[in-house]
């Protein structure tokens, strides 16, 4: 998940080509295109005047179609066009420039490059989301290597690569830099496996680099000073994001880079950058639109005396700033410097800033145009009430826990949620971590915020009921699916019976992504969902009492899904084998938590299954068994 | 434990540390309330150890719960653990003109000369001499430290113990700025 200023709840602003409609992978198993219309006269070898116009008209039609199809940018439309007939399939394939691979193992690189020969931009996603929480051992897969090797030869003009949850090596990055002379945008979200050497290769060789975005990506510091590797002279850089990269940075080189990058609009610094250094950058780049402030504290000794630095006016000179993040080691005394720009802000990410309620209120009271806010729960219910009072336009809210444990006194509760629901009626997306919650507040939100598309509530205590009534949280989540007619993403928590699932199955007709943890009573719960939610694409379940019978009730639907994840449920190998037998195009992976243990035949640690055209992958490690 | 060397017990021990940290490849599976895994094979000694630890650390022991990414947890934890741990006093050491920083544990030293010698080695410097009476003598490089008040002080002026408790970070300054 990348920190960014999403104005639309599900659209990632880093890749405009990636739209919400992920339903139709270009390479999902689908019936072959219908036979083409009867061959025109040209195929017959007859000497008559009627023969001559036909070959040309064939070709003319294709040319016209090519031109027309250029205007189709939405993936779903392109997929639909490709199914019309063979000719359209071919032409669409020739004109598709943006390819989206929702699961890197659903299709082989060769198959993609064969079908789509003229691709400029590629999005590839790898590991499932639960891997972020250590539920999947390391080295599971999702290697970029095979992709870059194949694309390096097939797409010399490739301009853009967006990877999410993939593993890359330094060698992969070197190969990328060497293969694609016109390379412009590299976006790596939640990736790992490479170091600063790889970055140096990209920086030095990709002369037209516009975007280098490392969000939530792990980079090993191997001593190479990659910032210094950008070429001399003006660069094309528009976006440089490395806020989560835990490597030291050569500040002089960074400053020089910023000065010679006149197009730079987005700059997100890591926490090694002190506030004094930030000051120096900001005064040199006042036209930034997106800024990640780095530490926002810890002035360096070589920074000029604090009194000489007018942070306030440095920031107010940034008239275009709409998105602010960072504050990684914030010293609250510096916060007033940004008060003047708060009125322009559309997006504010304070989720790494442990600031108190009063400081927060002083800040948020200026943020009347805010649409996206990420905070820590240290702002307390009182802080959220202040948000509700000021940010009437809020679309997305995320409240993260400062102390991510169960059984502690939490600073936010149903009070904060209720306040937000009352003050922010345009809310579209919410992620809320708390220790206690009530059905009433969740029901209130379902009524007050009808535009909700994403509702993710994480009551951190497992199996926690409504803390006032003692009832399960079924009614709250039920109200959400009933009243929020646009809901496509849901994460549930707390004490939940099969009834909650019945509600989801009954009313969650647009739900595409569902996250379940420690919930439900029996197989019936999962059955409700698999039978009732026709749009379900991504289902991730952990520690819930669902077994083989429930698994088998979804056979009709699994080919329509991106993936199913079930860990520490009650599945047996036999049940999974039955699924694998019934659905040959499904890759059914059984993962073991213990890498060297013989998988016993009774219980299944993790089931991860996904549709795939390419058959079982050949890079699976020892703890993965593919049925 | 007699078998210590062979059995890689560390990999299966329960710790309060964040799951997935350390470079052991095996992990303990999640312990869910009401959904217990029964297929644990283990040594009798080990299981006793498990039981003791698990009663102490019941609810906080579940892998990946709450679903907060480790990076985020790690970013927000350090302030707590540093004060709680009886362990080292790690401070950053920067040197002018060098792009990367180092970290040292002040607890490993008992006196200034030791520290200064290590710094010289770490950054390949020729430093000055330290004498208790006169403090640190001048040379091309001067070690300075930031104290709790945010002021930059020359290393060597205050008694060692006071220095260790008040030093937040170190900086080796180049002679030209002195």
């Amino acid at each position: 998940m990348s920190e960014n200023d999403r104005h639309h709840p599900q659209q990632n602003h880093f890749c405009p080509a990636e739209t919400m409609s992920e339903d139709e992978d270009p390479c999902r198993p689908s019936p072959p295109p219908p036979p083409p219309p009867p061959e025109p006269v040209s195929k017959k070898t007859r000497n008559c005047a009627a023969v001559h116009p036909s070959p040309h008209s064939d070709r003319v039609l294709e040319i016209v179609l090519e031109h027309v199809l250029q205007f189709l940018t939405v993936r779903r439309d392109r997929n639909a066009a490709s199914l019309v007939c063979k000719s359209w399939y071919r032409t669409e394939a020739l004109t598709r420039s943006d390819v989206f691979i929702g699961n890197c193992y659903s299709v082989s690189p060769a198959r993609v490059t064969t079908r789509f020969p003229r691709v400029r931009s590629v999005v590839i996603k790898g590991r499932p989301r639960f891997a972020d929480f250590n539920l999947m051992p390391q080295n599971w897969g999702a290697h970029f290597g095979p992709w870059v090797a194949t694309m390096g030869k097939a797409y010399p003009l490739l301009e853009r690569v967006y990877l999410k949850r993939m593993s890359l090596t330094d060698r992969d990055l070197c190969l990328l830099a060497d293969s694609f002379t016109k390379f412009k945008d590299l976006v790596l979200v939640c990736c790992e496996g490479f170091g600063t050497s790889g970055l140096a290769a990209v920086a030095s060789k990709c002369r037209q680099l516009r975007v280098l975005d490392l969000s939530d990506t792990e980079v090993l510091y191997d001593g190479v000073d990659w910032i210094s590797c950008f070429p001399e002279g003006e660069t094309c850089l528009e976006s440089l994001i490395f806020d989560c990269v835990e490597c030291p940075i050569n500040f002089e080189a960074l400053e020089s880079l910023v000065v010679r990058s006149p197009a730079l609009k987005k700059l997100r610094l890591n926490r090694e950058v002190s506030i004094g250094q930030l000051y120096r950058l900001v005064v040199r780049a006042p036209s930034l639109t997106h800024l990640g402030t780095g530490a926002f504290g810890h002035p360096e000794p070589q920074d000029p005396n604090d009194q000489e630095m007018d942070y306030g006016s440095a920031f107010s000179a940034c008239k275009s700033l709409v998105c602010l993040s960072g504050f990684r080691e914030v010293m609250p005394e510096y916060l007033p410097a940004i008060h003047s720009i708060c009125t322009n802000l559309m997006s504010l990410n304070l989720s790494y800033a442990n600031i108190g309620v009063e400081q927060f209120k002083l800040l948020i009271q200026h943020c009347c145009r805010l649409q996206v806010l990420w905070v820590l729960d240290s702002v307390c219910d009182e802080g959220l009430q202040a948000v509700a009072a000021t940010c009437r336009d809020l679309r997305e809210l995320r409240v993260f826990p400062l102390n991510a444990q169960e059984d502690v006194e939490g600073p936010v509760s149903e009070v904060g949620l209720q306040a937000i629901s009352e003050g922010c009626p345009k809310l579209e997306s919410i992620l809320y971590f708390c220790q206690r919650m009530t059905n009433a507040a969740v029901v209130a939100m379902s009524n007050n915020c009808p535009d909700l598309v994403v509702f993710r509530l994480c009551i951190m205590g497992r199996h926690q009921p409504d803390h006032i009534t003692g009832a399960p949280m079924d009614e709250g989540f039920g109200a959400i699916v009933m009243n929020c007619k646009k809901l496509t993403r849901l994460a549930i928590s707390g004490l939940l019976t099969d009834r909650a699932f019945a509600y989801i199955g009954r009313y969650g007709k647009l739900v595409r992504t569902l996250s379940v943890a420690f919930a439900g009573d029996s197989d019936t719960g999962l059955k409700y969902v698999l039978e009732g939610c026709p749009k379900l694409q991504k289902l991730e379940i952990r520690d819930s009492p669902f077994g083989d019978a429930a698994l088998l009730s979804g056979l009709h639907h699994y080919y329509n899904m991106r993936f199913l994840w079930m860990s520490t449920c009650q599945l047996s190998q036999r049940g999974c084998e039955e699924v694998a037998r019934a659905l040959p195009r499904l890759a059914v992976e059984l993962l073991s938590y213990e890498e060297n243990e013989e998988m016993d035949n009774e219980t299944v640690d993790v089931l991860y299954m996904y549709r795939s055209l390419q058959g079982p992958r050949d890079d699976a490690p020892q703890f993965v068994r593919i049925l | 434990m007699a078998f210590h060397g062979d059995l890689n017990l560390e990999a299966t021990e329960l710790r309060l540390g964040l799951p997935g940290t350390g470079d052991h490849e095996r992990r303990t599976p999640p312990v869910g309330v009401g959904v217990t895994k029964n297929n644990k094979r283990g040594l009798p000694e080990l299981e006793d150890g498990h039981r003791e630890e698990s009663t102490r650390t019941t609810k906080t022991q579940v892998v990946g719960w709450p679903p907060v990414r480790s990076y985020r947890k790690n970013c927000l934890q350090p302030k707590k653990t540093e004060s709680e741990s009886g362990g080292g006093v790690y401070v950053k050491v920067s040197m002018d003109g060098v792009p990367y920083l180092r970290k040292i544990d002040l607890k490993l030293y008992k006196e200034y000369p030791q520290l200064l010698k290590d710094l010289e080695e770490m950054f390949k410097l020729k430093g000055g001499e330290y004498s208790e009476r006169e403090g640190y003598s001048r040379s091309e490089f001067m070690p300075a430290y930031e104290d709790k008040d945010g002021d930059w002080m020359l290393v060597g002026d205050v008694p060692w113990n006071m220095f260790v408790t008040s030093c937040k970070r170190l900086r080796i300054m180049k002679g030209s700025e002195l």
Side-chain angles (χ1 to χ4, degrees), chain A residues 17 75 95-100 118-122 160:
Chain A
R75 206 160 61 236
T95 56
R96 190 179 299 215
S97 59
D98 295 22
V99 169
F100 173 88
R118 298 188 197 157
V119 167
R120 298 294 163 103
S121 160
V122 151
R160 185 170 176 272

Side-chain angles (χ1 to χ4, degrees), chain A residues 126-172:
Chain A
R127 283 180 289 277
R129 199 179 72 96
F130 272 9
D132 288 355
F133 313 122
N134 301 320
L135 290 180
M136 184 180 247
Q138 305 272 44
N139 311 317
W140 171 81
H143 301 291
F144 183 50
W147 290 91
V148 68
T150 306
M151 292 194 303
K153 302 193 185 88
Y155 301 148
L157 299 176
L158 192 71
E159 293 178 356
R160 185 170 176 272
V161 168
Y162 171 108
L163 303 179
K164 187 167 186 177
R165 296 199 183 94
M166 297 282 292
S167 297
L168 320 99
T169 61
D170 288 326
R171 201 147 34 117
D172 295 336

Side-chain angles (χ1 to χ4, degrees), chain A residues 134 328 406 460 600 605, chain B residues 19 27 37 39 59 65 71:
Chain A
N134 301 320
R328 295 302 177 110
E406 305 177 73
M460 290 191 272
D600 64 44
D605 283 345
Chain B
R27 294 176 304 105
K37 273 180 61 77
N39 63 343
K59 283 208 159 184
W65 188 262
Y71 174 79

Side-chain angles (χ1 to χ4, degrees), chain A residues 300-302, chain B residues 92-96 98 100-102 123 152 169-173:
Chain A
E300 296 287 317
Q302 58 262 40
Chain B
K92 284 188 190 172
V93 187
S94 64
M95 176 159 128
D96 292 348
V98 176
Y100 55 86
L101 278 68
R102 304 294 300 264
F123 289 97
W152 284 87
R169 55 193 300 179
L170 280 162
R171 176 192 166 202
I172 302 177
M173 300 192 296

Side-chain angles (χ1 to χ4, degrees), chain B residues 79-138:
Chain B
K79 297 194 166 75
K80 267 180 71 181
T81 52
E82 266 169 28
S83 54
E84 281 172 356
S85 73
V89 177
Y90 282 94
V91 296
K92 284 188 190 172
V93 187
S94 64
M95 176 159 128
D96 292 348
V98 176
Y100 55 86
L101 278 68
R102 304 294 300 264
K103 258 208 171 138
I104 55 171
D105 180 354
L106 292 178
K107 278 249 156 75
L108 294 178
Y109 306 97
K110 294 192 180 49
E111 47 176 1
Y112 283 117
Q114 278 180 354
L115 169 67
L116 296 169
K117 184 158 166 294
D118 256 11
L119 287 177
E120 284 173 28
E121 265 175 38
M122 199 182 265
F123 289 97
K124 317 254 184 299
L125 317 163
K126 226 164 66 108
E129 313 265 15
Y130 174 80
S131 77
E132 249 190 72
R133 213 166 13 106
E134 284 162 5
Y136 196 85
S137 76
R138 301 202 158 233

Side-chain angles (χ1 to χ4, degrees), chain A residues 1 3 132-139 190 216 221 225 243-246 248-250 271-272 298-302 328-329 331 349 351-354 374 376 400-407 433 458-463 493 517-518 542-545 568-570 593-597 600 603 605, chain B residues 8 11-12 18-41 57-80 92 94-102 144 146 150 152 168-171 173 177:
Chain A
M1 227 110 36
E3 322 273 282
D132 288 355
F133 313 122
N134 301 320
L135 290 180
M136 184 180 247
Q138 305 272 44
N139 311 317
C190 299
D216 288 322
Y221 181 58
D225 176 10
D243 49 352
C244 293
V245 170
E246 299 280 281
I249 287 289
N250 178 343
R271 58 175 165 174
E272 304 289 328
H298 295 310
E300 296 287 317
Q302 58 262 40
R328 295 302 177 110
E329 311 211 347
M331 288 178 169
N349 181 353
S351 66
Y352 290 97
N354 182 5
W374 292 23
L376 283 176
F400 292 96
L402 176 59
N403 202 350
Q405 288 173 36
E406 305 177 73
D407 296 341
F433 282 86
C458 183
I459 303 169
M460 290 191 272
R462 286 168 284 149
H463 309 288
S493 61
F518 306 101
R542 65 168 294 182
D543 295 89
S544 301
T568 316
C569 295
Q570 284 168 4
Y593 291 122
E594 308 281 327
E595 287 199 28
N596 300 319
E597 185 178 304
D600 64 44
T603 52
D605 283 345
Chain B
N8 195 13
T12 51
L18 297 168
T21 52
D23 45 18
H24 57 90
E25 285 171 285
R26 302 164 94 214
R27 294 176 304 105
T28 50
V31 176
V33 171
V35 186
T36 46
K37 273 180 61 77
N38 296 320
N39 63 343
K40 280 336 300 139
R41 86 279 172 273
T57 59
T58 38
K59 283 208 159 184
T60 48
Q61 229 9 64
V62 178
V63 173
W65 188 262
V68 177
R69 297 181 66 242
S70 319
Y71 174 79
R72 187 176 279 285
K73 281 197 224 187
N74 290 344
C75 276
L76 299 167
Q77 290 294 343
K79 297 194 166 75
K80 267 180 71 181
K92 284 188 190 172
S94 64
M95 176 159 128
D96 292 348
V98 176
Y100 55 86
L101 278 68
R102 304 294 300 264
E146 184 185 18
W152 284 87
K168 273 175 38 193
R169 55 193 300 179
L170 280 162
R171 176 192 166 202
M173 300 192 296
E177 284 180 43

Side-chain angles (χ1 to χ4, degrees), chain A residues 113 323 586:
Chain A
T113 55
C323 174
L586 212 58

